[in-house]
Amino acid sequence: MIVTIDGPAGSGKSSVARQLANRLGFQFLDSGAMYRAVAWFAVKNRVNLDDESAVMNALEGFDMTINGERVVVGGRNVSSEIRSPELAQQSSIVAALPRVREYLVIRQREIAAAGNFVCEGRDQGTIVFPKAERKFFLTAAPEIRARRRWLELRRIRPDLELDHVIAEQKIRDLRDETRVTGRLVKADDAIEIRVDHLSLNQLVDELERQVREVGLNT
Ligand code: DC
């Protein structure tokens, strides 16, 4: 069974997906971490991130495993490194490259074929798993999303300013909403949930209820 959770940066998808998967006894797939890992690898190999052919050539040597929050590239655990604000921007650049998306979509489907998954990202319910049994689309006001990311990032970057996070989020939102393939858009059959005034627990309760309603088709 596949459950998808899509939504913009900072809508809380990762925490929700992780906890929902836990409650259901499913695995979870953070597809954004895969775009981040590709960007990390391209940067390490000094590849121009806008150059699709160069990124694709570099990916011939890309050896990535992802298991929940643990992301390993070429034997190196990059789980924390890929969470930096720089990698957030860089991943949003490689995520606009159609061939990179094609490559990662195939990998996402391969991973999820192995069992029951909660998959989160931008295009999980539209492109990657159009037949998912339950789809969610989370939305929240931009200021709330930015504040959430700022509070998270301040743990690793105490000097980071909220205004900076707001400005960077705007750029990422625009890229997410305007790229040619895998644009951030709600699937017709996704349930839209506005998360602004819900605690994480309330949100997970609601999603769990909605999934159990269709039945745990495992
Ligand atoms: O969710 P995130 O911030 O970790 O995602 C990192 C980048 O990857 C973000 O800029 C959007 C992009 N992304 C995507 O294009 N498609 C997905 N399914 C997941 C993430």
Side-chain angles (χ1 to χ4, degrees):
M1 181 179 187
I2 303 281
V3 175
T4 60
I5 306 180
D6 290 306
S11 56
K13 297 180 307 287
S14 295
S15 317
V16 174
R18 196 165 45 242
Q19 294 206 10
L20 180 65
N22 230 334
R23 290 209 200 164
L24 300 171
F26 286 17
Q27 300 182 68
F28 87 95
L29 177 63
D30 173 353
S31 60
M34 299 173 81
Y35 288 93
R36 287 170 183 261
V38 166
W40 179 88
F41 187 73
V43 170
K44 269 277 165 289
N45 285 284
R46 300 177 192 284
V47 172
N48 176 357
L49 300 179
D50 290 313
D51 183 340
E52 184 168 51
S53 302
V55 173
M56 289 311 293
N57 282 342
L59 286 183
E60 278 172 28
F62 184 58
D63 164 28
M64 172 189 62
T65 55
I66 179 163
N67 189 352
E69 283 161 288
R70 189 178 152 83
V71 185
V72 176
V73 178
R76 172 163 165 181
N77 184 345
V78 297
S79 318
S80 306
E81 275 172 80
I82 60 170
R83 298 290 155 201
S84 72
E86 291 75 22
L87 253 301
Q89 283 305 322
Q90 288 156 340
S91 61
S92 127
I93 298 171
V94 296
L97 305 174
R99 285 168 64 202
V100 168
R101 302 200 69 84
E102 231 171 82
Y103 166 80
L104 286 182
V105 165
I106 291 170
R107 295 214 48 188
Q108 288 156 23
R109 290 184 183 142
E110 281 168 1
I111 291 169
N116 299 307
F117 270 84
V118 176
C119 301
E120 64 98 338
R122 308 292 192 283
D123 57 351
Q124 303 295 286
T126 48
I127 307 280
V128 189
F129 305 107
K131 295 193 176 143
E133 283 86 345
R134 214 16 145 195
K135 301 178 183 177
F136 297 101
F137 191 81
L138 307 187
T139 59
E143 316 78 67
I144 292 186
R145 294 191 279 118
R147 177 167 287 275
R148 178 179 295 150
R149 283 202 53 79
W150 177 62
L151 290 172
E152 249 173 49
L153 285 170
R154 264 202 329 181
R155 281 187 241 142
I156 48 171
R157 292 285 166 82
D159 53 340
L160 195 66
E161 307 234 335
L162 177 59
D163 282 350
H164 181 75
V165 177
I166 292 175
E168 298 238 303
Q169 180 178 276
K170 269 197 192 138
I171 299 172
R172 286 218 293 156
D173 280 353
L174 189 68
R175 284 203 197 108
D176 273 347
E177 287 159 11
T178 56
R179 66 175 158 254
V180 185
T181 51
R183 238 165 10 100
L184 174 65
V185 60
K186 177 184 152 325
D188 289 340
D189 51 351
I191 299 170
E192 181 163 347
I193 301 186
R194 201 162 172 103
V195 306
D196 294 5
H197 303 296
L198 295 176
S199 69
L200 180 58
N201 237 333
Q202 285 171 323
L203 188 54
V204 179
D205 283 349
E206 174 61 13
L207 267 54
E208 182 183 7
R209 192 183 65 71
Q210 301 262 15
V211 173
R212 292 195 185 275
E213 205 176 84
V214 284
L216 282 197
N217 180 11
T218 59

